[in-house]
Structure formats: C-alpha cells, structure tokens
Amino acid sequence: MTVNVRVNGPLGDFIADNVGAAGTYENVSEYVRDLIRKDKDRAEAVLFERLRAELNVAFAAPDDSYSALTAEDVITRNSARKDA
C-alpha cells in the first residue's frame, strides 16, 4: 500500500527533527512505519487489558455462580449478541 500525506507547519518541523542525520529515523517512511507499529501495539495492549479485566471478574466470582454450557449454547448466545 502506498499512502501520500502532506504535513506542514509545526508537524512538518517535528518530523524533520526526527528524520535524517540529526534524527532517529533515516527517512519519513521508516518513521511512519514505526509510528503505525507502536499504535498497533497500543491497540492490542488495550484489548488485552480489557480481556484481563473481564477474566479477573470472572475468576473472582464464587463457584456456584457458574453454569455449565455446551459449545452450542455459547454459539447461540454470541449470535444473539451480534444481532442486538
């Protein structure tokens, strides 16, 4: 995929400070790819923390609050949630 973005003013200056001989990155493409990777990692971390929080609540519940479910029960329940 090729993406073209025009950046000027303070954002352009900031990019220029981070690219080239004085910056951390050799070129703008390398800088943008790294930003995208970091954003992807951040989004995945948010999802993981949400899952961890849900699991902590589930594991903290008393054993008698659980009920047995078949795979079909879970599929039906999840299908109903998608339709809602």
Side-chain angles (χ1 to χ4, degrees), residues 3 5 7 12 14-20 25-36:
V3 177
V5 178
V7 180
F14 183 78
I15 291 169
D17 290 342
N18 285 286
V19 174
Y25 302 93
E26 290 185 24
N27 56 58
V28 174
S29 292
E30 181 184 340
Y31 186 31
V32 171
R33 283 191 298 271
D34 190 47
L35 289 172
I36 293 168

Side-chain angles (χ1 to χ4, degrees), residues 34-82:
D34 190 47
L35 289 172
I36 293 168
R37 278 188 213 98
K38 287 177 182 174
D39 193 42
K40 181 178 177 286
D41 290 345
R42 180 204 54 78
E44 290 172 352
V46 166
L47 292 175
F48 181 77
E49 286 306 316
R50 185 178 305 151
L51 175 61
R52 182 194 311 255
E54 290 177 13
L55 289 173
N56 284 338
V57 169
F59 288 127
D63 287 345
D64 62 356
S65 67
Y66 293 100
S67 59
L69 296 174
T70 66
E72 186 175 326
D73 294 334
V74 174
I75 292 168
T76 302
R77 180 190 64 196
N78 290 343
S79 294
R81 287 182 182 172
K82 287 181 188 176

